[in-house]
Amino acid sequence: MASPNGTSYFLPAERAQGLANYPHARVVPVGQQIVYVSGTSSRRGDGTYAGCATDEATGKHTLDIRLQTEAVLSNIEGIIRGATGGACGMESVLSATVYLTDMKDYKGMNEEWNKVWPDKTKAPSRTCVQVAALPNERLNVEIQCQALWKQ
């Protein structure tokens, strides 16, 4: 196995390549368990949101895609480590779906993504879509994913 999240597959160089660090596909080894991680946001345990500043006078929220993405990925790592008793982390993520409220945030999200997975051969497969809204106006990114766990 090339990586804890399976083997990466890339189209030949003359074909379209990804815009960030992710393969075209990942191949799952036989006998692996899959951990399904629900859509995760930047919400903290105290109910506040990383990457969201609120103007008390106007109630307007200013959202920072980089801070939110960093927090989302950190929250996902905590979920995976907790669900597997510490046996797996972000290196085990097989596939992810990223939900953005505005594609103008795609570049900033990618910058944070690439910090977690600097080597695209070890990154999960990924889909990114723009959605009309997320469950709270303080959010501009949510990610759900699956991770492999060899018990």
Side-chain angles (χ1 to χ4, degrees):
M1 177 170 61
S3 182
N5 62 348
T7 303
S8 58
Y9 169 77
F10 294 93
L11 288 170
E14 67 271 6
R15 302 287 302 273
Q17 300 298 307
L19 298 176
N21 292 345
Y22 56 87
H24 290 101
R26 295 216 67 88
V27 180
V28 178
V30 175
Q32 297 273 338
Q33 298 291 320
I34 298 177
V35 178
Y36 294 88
V37 179
S38 298
T40 303
S41 73
S42 65
R43 189 164 51 92
R44 300 178 184 118
D46 65 1
T48 62
Y49 296 84
C52 176
T54 304
D55 182 319
E56 296 300 323
T58 65
K60 181 177 165 60
H61 305 294
T62 302
L63 307 179
D64 183 320
I65 189 63
R66 287 169 185 81
L67 291 176
Q68 284 209 8
T69 302
E70 176 184 42
V72 169
L73 293 170
S74 176
N75 287 344
I76 288 172
E77 181 165 26
I79 291 166
I80 293 169
R81 289 205 182 281
T84 65
C88 300
M90 297 303 273
E91 74 286 348
S92 298
V93 176
L94 169 69
S95 182
T97 303
V98 179
Y99 303 95
L100 295 174
T101 56
D102 194 325
M103 278 295 175
K104 72 175 173 39
D105 292 328
Y106 185 77
K107 181 180 182 216
M109 180 276 300
N110 270 339
E111 290 171 1
E112 294 305 315
W113 176 276
N114 290 345
K115 289 177 184 177
V116 174
W117 291 286
D119 179 350
K120 69 180 181 178
T121 67
K122 295 180 180 176
S125 64
R126 187 184 88 185
T127 299
C128 183
V129 296
Q130 180 175 318
V131 294
L134 288 169
N136 191 298
E137 63 186 7
R138 293 172 180 89
L139 300 173
N140 59 358
V141 61
E142 181 176 289
I143 300 173
Q144 70 89 166
C145 65
Q146 301 80 43
L148 293 182
W149 179 17
K150 185 173 184 177
Q151 293 181 284

